[in-house]
Amino acid sequence: MDEYLNQGIKDVIRQFPEVGDILNEYDIGCVPCAVGTCLLKDIIDIHNVPPDEERELMARISGAVHPDQAPAAPGIERKPRPSPKQSYSPPMQKLVDEHTLIKRLVALIPQIMEHLDVESEEGRQIVIDGVDFIRSYADRYHHAKEEDILLKYFDEGLEIIKTIYEDHETGRAHVRATLQALEDGDKEAVREHLDAYRELLTEHIEKEDGILYPWMDRSLSMTQIGELYARFNAKDEGFGDAPKKYQALINRLEQEFAQKEAVR
Ligand SMILES: [Fe+2]
Ligand SMILES: [Fe+2]
């Protein structure tokens, strides 16, 4: 069993498909997960499986990979779990709160796509405003805090950390492509890249809120958490009133689209 603990979960599932079914029963979505290179032993820690379920889960996985042997439940070294209810440390809560505003922009994308007008200046301006939010608030303000500060506390060779960087880069590529398509007057391509960005960010934020941040909270020391909070605050100071400006932009866009819906 120990040999499988150090294997990528997708490889284990490929060899023993039943392992994917077992993980699904514990709400650990390794089968549909786009990453899938986490090691089997890290799954328990990253997904924070409660200790009582851990023994049972590992015994079942052991039974699936060694059906001819008596079930064994290898112990996995895990970080302490602060509380059964999901809560975040102050710096992580700050990032979760920033996600709330980013999710409001993401929720507007279907309406932006539906009313898309690349011919008029007013129509193009809505896309430009959305892209300005993504580049300034989501990327320079929020993602930069993750990349320049938070992720530096962790081994950048870990698959989950590499995935976060890759998601940010993929998002930037969709934003560049959206602007290019807008310049070319290519409505379909604008739609395609905005929709791809919506899908990417939805999954990315779920991954961070549900898996990455809780795992990071369990991994960081109290001193590191305090340091992180101070460094986030220092970074915020450099942005002055910009977050308020982007909050106002989202409020305005929501109102504009609500009015468009009301007159239909
Ligand atoms: Fe991120
Ligand atoms: Fe984030």
Side-chain angles (χ1 to χ4, degrees), residues 23-251:
L23 289 169
N24 272 340
E25 283 181 42
Y26 289 79
D27 285 331
I28 300 174
C30 292
V31 177
C33 177
V35 189
T37 44
C38 297
L39 304 181
L40 174 56
K41 70 179 167 104
D42 293 336
I43 298 291
I44 301 298
D45 187 28
I46 289 173
H47 289 268
N48 203 23
V49 179
D52 50 332
E53 285 181 20
E54 177 191 326
R55 285 195 77 76
E56 182 189 272
L57 171 62
M58 293 313 290
R60 290 188 60 192
I61 292 177
S62 173
V65 301
H66 295 300
D68 48 336
Q69 292 176 15
I76 305 291
E77 201 184 317
R78 303 173 60 210
K79 312 284 184 311
R81 194 167 186 250
S83 108
K85 186 178 171 294
Q86 182 62 69
S87 62
Y88 300 97
S89 66
M92 236 55 90
Q93 184 63 53
K94 203 177 192 24
L95 296 179
V96 171
D97 291 344
E98 290 170 8
H99 282 169
T100 305
L101 195 61
I102 298 170
K103 284 194 282 189
R104 282 170 64 189
L105 182 276
V106 168
L108 282 168
I109 289 179
Q111 285 160 285
I112 295 176
M113 286 162 55
E114 195 187 332
H115 296 276
L116 187 62
D117 166 17
V118 297
E119 305 295 327
S120 75
E121 185 138 343
E122 194 194 345
R124 283 198 299 272
Q125 191 58 46
I126 291 175
V127 178
I128 290 169
D129 286 347
V131 164
D132 178 37
F133 174 91
I134 293 169
R135 283 193 155 165
S136 301
Y137 187 89
D139 216 21
R140 274 195 283 279
Y141 180 68
H142 176 80
H143 289 163
K145 223 180 270 162
E146 292 175 341
E147 290 185 1
D148 299 346
I149 304 174
L150 179 64
L151 300 184
K152 302 287 183 223
Y153 285 82
F154 295 87
D155 175 0
E156 300 199 43
L158 283 173
E159 289 302 325
I160 192 158
I161 305 290
K162 285 197 267 184
T163 305
I164 296 300
Y165 278 112
E166 278 168 24
D167 284 355
H168 291 176
E169 280 307 321
T170 307
R172 287 169 190 138
H174 284 306
V175 168
R176 282 194 299 273
T178 301
L179 282 182
Q180 184 60 55
L182 191 67
E183 208 176 298
D184 298 342
D186 186 342
K187 199 169 173 175
E188 273 320 298
V190 172
R191 278 212 180 100
E192 183 194 318
H193 289 289
L194 280 179
D195 199 38
Y197 183 84
R198 180 194 58 73
E199 206 173 306
L200 174 80
L201 257 280
T202 303
E203 200 202 301
H204 182 77
I205 288 175
E206 276 174 17
K207 206 154 43 192
E208 291 185 340
D209 285 356
I211 299 170
L212 186 79
Y213 295 167
W215 169 70
M216 287 177 156
D217 261 343
R218 295 194 302 279
S219 308
L220 293 165
S221 69
M222 286 304 280
T223 308
Q224 287 173 318
I225 296 270
E227 187 183 89
L228 202 52
Y229 196 54
R231 293 180 67 190
F232 281 177
N233 283 338
K235 188 104 176 163
D236 283 354
E237 277 175 26
F239 286 90
D241 278 344
K244 279 194 189 134
K245 178 187 133 187
Y246 287 105
Q247 174 106 36
L249 170 68
I250 296 296
N251 289 343

